[in-house]
C-alpha cells in the first residue's frame, strides 16, 4: 500500500460559466471518492453546495497577466493538494491544473466542452499531450487520440 | 417573466437591442442581463450582471429564456425544464472570438425545448408561438454513458494505486 493511495484525491476543476455547468453534470461520476472542486467563482461553490472547494483566479487567453497569475495559482493548488486524478472541462484554469498535475504524475482527464462541435477547443489542443484521456462530446470529432464516449447535454 | 441573458464574458448589444424593440408587444415583462453592453434597454428591467444564486432563482421564476448560445445557460434551462430560444453570436460582427456558437446551435437543432433564432424575424416568430416542452432530464443515455466512463476511469486509477 503506497502512501498516495490512502489519501486518493480527485480534483474536478474548471472556469466559471458553461465549463462549470458541464463539470457539475459529471458530479455523479465522482461519488464515493475523496473529491475537491476548484473554480474561479466562489459563489458557484455556494450555489451548488460544494463541501471542499478551492478558488482559482479567473483568466482567459485575451488577458495575458491574469493568465500568468492563474497559471502560478494553479501550480500552487496542485502542489498543495497533490490530487491523484484531475478532471477538467476547461478552459484555461483547467488546462493549467491539468498540466501541473501531469508533471506531478497524477492521472489527467480532459473533457472538451460540448460547445466545441466542429473542432476541438484551443485549450483542449494544448492539453492533448498532457492528458491521459481526452474526450470530445461529439461523435463526429472522435479520432484515435480523441475519444467519444457520451455527451453531457 | 421572460429572462434574457448574454452570459458573463462578452457584451451582445445586437440581441439586447432586438429584444428591447420587441418587449413592448410582449404579454410578459422581460428581465435582461446585459453584461458589458453599451446599449441601455428602455422597455425591459435590466442589470449588467447577476450572481449565480440570483440567476438560478430568476431561471426558476421565468416562463422561458432568450439567450446567446452559451452552454451555461443551456444547462441551467435544461435543469429547470425551461424552454430556451438561442441566438448565436457571430464572429463576423465581433460578437465572439470565433463562430463556435453557430456550431453549437447546429448540433442542437431539433432538440425539444430549444429553438434557434438567427435574426429579429426568427426571434419575433418564436416569441409569438407557444413554447415547446423541453425533454425530460432523467432519460439521457449519452450523459449517463460519459458519467459511467469517467467513474470507471477514476475507479481504475484508484485500484492501480492501491495495488502498487
Amino acid at each position: 500500500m503506497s502512501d498516495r493511495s490512502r489519501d486518493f484525491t480527485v480534483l474536478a476543476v474548471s472556469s466559471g460559466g458553461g465549463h462549470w455547468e458541464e463539470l457539475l453534470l459529471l458530479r455523479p461520476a465522482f461519488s464515493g471518492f475523496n473529491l475537491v472542486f476548484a473554480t474561479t467563482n466562489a459563489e458557484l461553490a455556494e450555489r451548488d453546495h460544494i463541501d471542499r472547494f478551492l478558488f482559482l483566479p479567473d483568466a482567459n487567453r485575451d488577458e495575458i497577466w491574469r493568465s500568468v497569475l492563474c497559471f502560478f495559482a494553479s501550480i500552487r493548488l496542485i502542489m498543495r493538494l497533490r490530487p491523484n486524478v484531475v478532471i477538467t472541462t476547461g478552459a484555461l484554469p483547467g488546462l493549467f491544473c491539468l498540466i501541473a498535475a501531469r508533471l506531478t504524475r497524477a492521472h489527467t482527464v480532459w473533457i472538451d466542452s460540448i460547445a466545441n462541435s466542429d473542432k476541438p477547443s484551443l485549450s483542449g489542443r494544448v492539453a492533448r499531450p498532457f492528458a491521459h484521456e481526452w474526450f470530445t462530446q461529439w461523435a463526429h470529432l472522435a479520432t484515435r487520440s480523441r475519444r467519444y464516449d457520451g455527451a453531457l447535454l | 417573466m421572460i429572462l434574457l441573458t448574454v452570459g458573463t464574458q462578452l457584451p451582445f448589444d445586437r440581441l439586447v437591442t432586438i429584444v428591447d424593440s420587441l418587449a413592448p408587444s410582449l404579454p410578459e415583462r422581460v428581465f435582461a442581463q446585459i453584461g458589458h453592453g453599451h446599449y441601455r434597454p428602455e422597455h425591459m428591467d435590466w442589470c449588467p450582471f447577476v450572481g449565480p444564486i440570483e440567476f438560478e432563482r430568476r431561471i426558476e421564476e421565468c416562463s422561458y429564456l432568450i439567450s446567446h448560445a452559451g452552454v451555461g445557460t443551456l444547462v441551467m434551462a435544461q435543469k429547470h425544464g425551461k424552454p430556451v430560444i438561442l441566438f448565436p453570436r457571430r464572429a463576423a460582427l465581433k460578437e465572439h472570438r470565433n463562430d463556435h456558437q453557430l456550431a453549437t446551435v447546429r448540433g442542437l437543432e431539433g432538440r425539444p425545448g430549444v429553438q434557434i433564432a438567427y435574426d429579429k424575424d426568427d426571434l419575433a416568430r418564436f416569441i409569438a408561438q407557444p413554447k415547446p416542452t423541453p425533454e425530460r432530464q432523467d432519460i439521457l443515455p449519452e450523459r449517463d454513458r460519459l458519467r459511467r466512463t469517467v467513474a470507471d476511469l477514476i475507479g481504475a486509477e484508484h485500484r492501480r494505486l492501491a495495488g502498487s
Side-chain angles (χ1 to χ4, degrees):
Chain A
M1 195 76 166
S2 73
D3 282 354
R4 299 238 33 209
S5 71
R6 273 205 301 275
D7 57 356
F8 183 85
T9 303
V10 177
L11 172 67
V13 54
S14 77
S15 40
H19 298 279
W20 175 256
E21 304 300 344
E22 289 185 75
L23 191 66
L24 269 200
L25 289 176
L26 281 168
R27 208 169 176 177
F30 309 135
S31 70
F33 297 105
N34 183 13
L35 174 69
V36 179
F37 276 100
T39 189
T40 55
N41 182 339
E43 201 188 312
L44 286 169
E46 185 190 342
R47 184 196 77 186
D48 298 312
H49 312 295
I50 305 291
D51 305 331
R52 295 184 64 199
F53 160 72
L54 297 169
F55 174 79
L56 277 172
D58 201 3
N60 66 53
R61 62 179 190 255
D62 296 335
E63 303 164 312
I64 185 73
W65 275 114
R66 297 184 69 167
S67 301
V68 171
L69 257 175
C70 179
F71 181 69
F72 286 110
S74 302
I75 290 175
R76 213 177 67 191
L77 185 153
I78 296 295
M79 287 307 176
R80 287 185 173 177
L81 185 69
R82 291 302 298 273
N84 302 85
V85 178
V86 171
I87 292 171
T88 181
T89 48
L92 265 193
L95 171 67
F96 293 153
C97 286
L98 185 133
I99 292 172
R102 180 71 199 238
L103 299 176
T104 66
R105 301 174 59 196
H107 197 74
T108 52
V109 182
W110 178 275
I111 294 160
D112 214 37
S113 166
I114 199 154
N116 307 303
S117 59
D118 60 0
K119 61 176 197 289
S121 65
L122 181 63
S123 47
R125 288 199 294 275
V126 178
R128 191 55 286 249
F130 300 95
H132 287 99
E133 303 280 349
W134 200 105
F135 290 95
T136 173
Q137 296 190 58
W138 295 93
H140 68 267
L141 291 182
T143 62
R144 232 160 39 111
S145 64
R146 300 201 295 251
R147 191 170 157 190
Y148 175 82
D149 213 341
L152 292 167
L153 267 182
Chain B
M1 179 260 289
I2 299 163
L3 180 59
L4 166 66
T5 174
V6 305
T8 55
Q9 277 200 2
L10 297 160
F12 198 3
D13 280 342
R14 182 167 61 103
L15 175 59
V16 177
T17 309
I18 288 173
V19 179
D20 197 37
S21 70
L22 296 169
S25 62
L26 297 176
E28 292 177 85
R29 284 188 321 113
V30 183
F31 177 84
Q33 179 267 311
I34 65 167
H36 293 292
H38 293 298
Y39 176 78
R40 295 285 176 259
E42 289 168 21
H43 310 290
M44 311 187 281
D45 303 326
W46 62 274
C47 81
F49 294 99
V50 184
I53 294 171
E54 190 196 332
F55 187 68
E56 180 155 37
R57 191 176 53 75
R58 289 192 180 270
I59 288 186
E60 285 166 359
E61 279 174 16
C62 78
S63 51
Y64 65 91
L65 290 95
I66 302 169
S67 172
H68 78 136
V71 171
T73 311
L74 194 58
V75 172
M76 292 298 283
Q78 202 184 43
K79 178 179 169 187
H80 293 283
K82 302 289 175 165
V84 58
I85 302 171
L86 296 177
F87 196 96
R89 296 171 182 270
R90 311 290 287 270
L93 303 172
K94 298 205 166 38
E95 289 163 353
H96 215 303
R97 282 188 294 252
N98 56 41
D99 269 330
H100 76 268
Q101 289 211 341
L102 281 176
T104 302
V105 296
R106 268 201 303 276
L108 294 165
E109 206 73 73
R111 289 277 181 117
V114 180
Q115 291 170 303
I116 321 290
Y118 295 95
D119 56 27
K120 185 175 176 173
D121 294 350
D122 284 353
L123 205 52
R125 195 173 66 249
F126 289 140
I127 286 173
Q129 294 169 353
K131 298 295 159 297
T133 310
E135 59 200 323
R136 283 177 49 189
Q137 278 297 281
D138 48 356
I139 355 177
L140 287 168
E142 288 303 281
R143 179 180 293 178
D144 293 339
R145 179 177 158 191
L146 187 53
R147 283 173 175 171
R148 254 198 323 276
T149 303
V150 170
D152 290 349
L153 279 176
I154 302 171
E157 183 61 13
H158 190 209
R159 282 191 304 276
R160 192 183 70 80
L161 287 172
S164 63

